[in-house]
Amino acid sequence: PDVIIEAQFDDNDAEHGQDHLQDTLSDDIKKLPLDTGEKGDGVHRTKQDDGPKVNDPRLLPDEFLQRTAKVVYILEKKHSRAATGFIKLLADRNSELFKRCAMFSPVDHRVPRVYVPLADCPPDFMTKPEGYSQKLFICRIVDWKEDSNFATGQLSKSLGQAGEIEPETEGILTEYGVDFSDFSPEALECLPQNLPWVISPEELAKRRDLR
């Protein structure tokens, strides 16, 4: 902090000249107590000064530290980048983006809203957008630029009416990356071919019946 010294001198000081006055002020400055973190006479400390005064943060106790980190690499993408939601027209009808993209709003609010190309939307979406207000779609995020509030993606599939069991179920399975396609012929060949199949009494005797 700046140090302000009010010097008082009498006629005797004036007689010695300006050089003597500067020497006197220098001596007074050297005698001033400085706050080095140790309590001493003449040192006034405020409440804000109370606390550890350590130049090296590594020497502070843990309770005084806020640990921070930075993401340096994405090791594995856990999310499927697929989401279930609805499509609607952009609010700004005069923008160039309105002519190229629609807005996809995911049902899961943890997923960002997505710009999707109008080419992926149904042919009559631009003329009758209200007809698709309750239609569920699957969208996959393909990119999200750093300077954009919304991601960009592609519509993968139309699921059907919101609120119905089959479209809702398919949407959930797709979001979590669950393969619900039909079993391949190779997998079906591993099953018993002589139907109806029943557990033999010998096998049933070895098992605990939880039916």
Side-chain angles (χ1 to χ4, degrees):
D2 295 333
V3 179
I4 301 175
I5 297 176
E6 294 183 0
Q8 296 180 356
F9 60 93
D10 52 22
D11 294 340
N12 294 329
D13 293 328
E15 293 176 0
H16 289 87
Q18 185 69 21
D19 293 339
H20 175 70
L21 178 60
Q22 290 181 354
D23 294 340
T24 302
L25 291 176
S26 298
D27 293 338
D28 290 341
I29 291 175
K30 293 178 181 178
K31 295 177 183 178
L32 283 176
L34 298 180
D35 186 4
T36 59
E38 298 178 356
K39 291 185 178 180
D41 295 337
V43 178
H44 301 283
R45 303 180 65 181
T46 62
K47 289 184 177 180
Q48 288 81 359
D49 293 330
D50 293 338
K53 288 181 177 290
V54 182
N55 293 330
D56 190 351
R58 293 173 296 180
L59 301 179
L60 289 170
D62 288 344
E63 59 265 24
F64 294 104
L65 297 178
Q66 174 63 54
R67 300 191 182 278
T68 59
K70 181 174 67 173
V71 176
V72 296
Y73 184 74
I74 298 177
L75 185 63
E76 181 182 359
K77 295 181 180 180
K78 299 296 289 184
H79 195 270
S80 64
R81 300 299 190 272
T84 306
F86 305 93
I87 56 174
K88 57 184 178 180
L89 295 176
L90 298 181
D92 188 1
R93 296 177 176 269
N94 298 323
S95 65
E96 286 295 324
L97 199 60
F98 179 84
K99 303 175 183 178
R100 297 184 289 107
C101 295
M103 178 64 71
F104 175 82
S105 297
V107 175
D108 188 349
H109 297 292
R110 296 173 298 178
V111 181
R113 286 181 288 177
V114 185
Y115 287 133
V116 293
L118 286 175
D120 294 347
C121 300
D124 58 343
F125 171 69
M126 288 291 291
T127 57
K128 298 179 180 179
E130 64 279 357
Y132 296 92
S133 60
Q134 295 299 317
K135 294 284 187 181
L136 284 175
F137 291 85
I138 290 288
C139 174
R140 289 194 179 274
I141 298 175
V142 296
D143 193 16
W144 193 356
K145 298 187 180 300
E146 295 179 357
D147 57 351
S148 176
N149 292 329
F150 307 109
T152 57
Q154 295 177 341
L155 288 183
S156 301
K157 186 178 182 181
S158 174
L159 296 177
Q161 192 72 16
E164 296 182 357
I165 294 180
E166 289 188 5
E168 297 278 1
T169 302
E170 184 176 346
I172 294 173
L173 294 175
T174 303
E175 287 182 6
Y176 286 92
V178 178
D179 184 8
F180 56 93
S181 59
D182 294 336
F183 288 105
S184 63
E186 292 79 8
L188 295 177
E189 289 176 359
C190 297
L191 299 176
Q193 304 300 319
N194 298 324
L195 301 178
W197 179 81
V198 294
I199 303 177
S200 64
E202 295 79 10
E203 182 66 26
L204 192 58
K206 304 176 185 177
R207 302 189 181 192
R208 182 179 178 187
D209 194 346
L210 297 176
R211 290 175 294 179

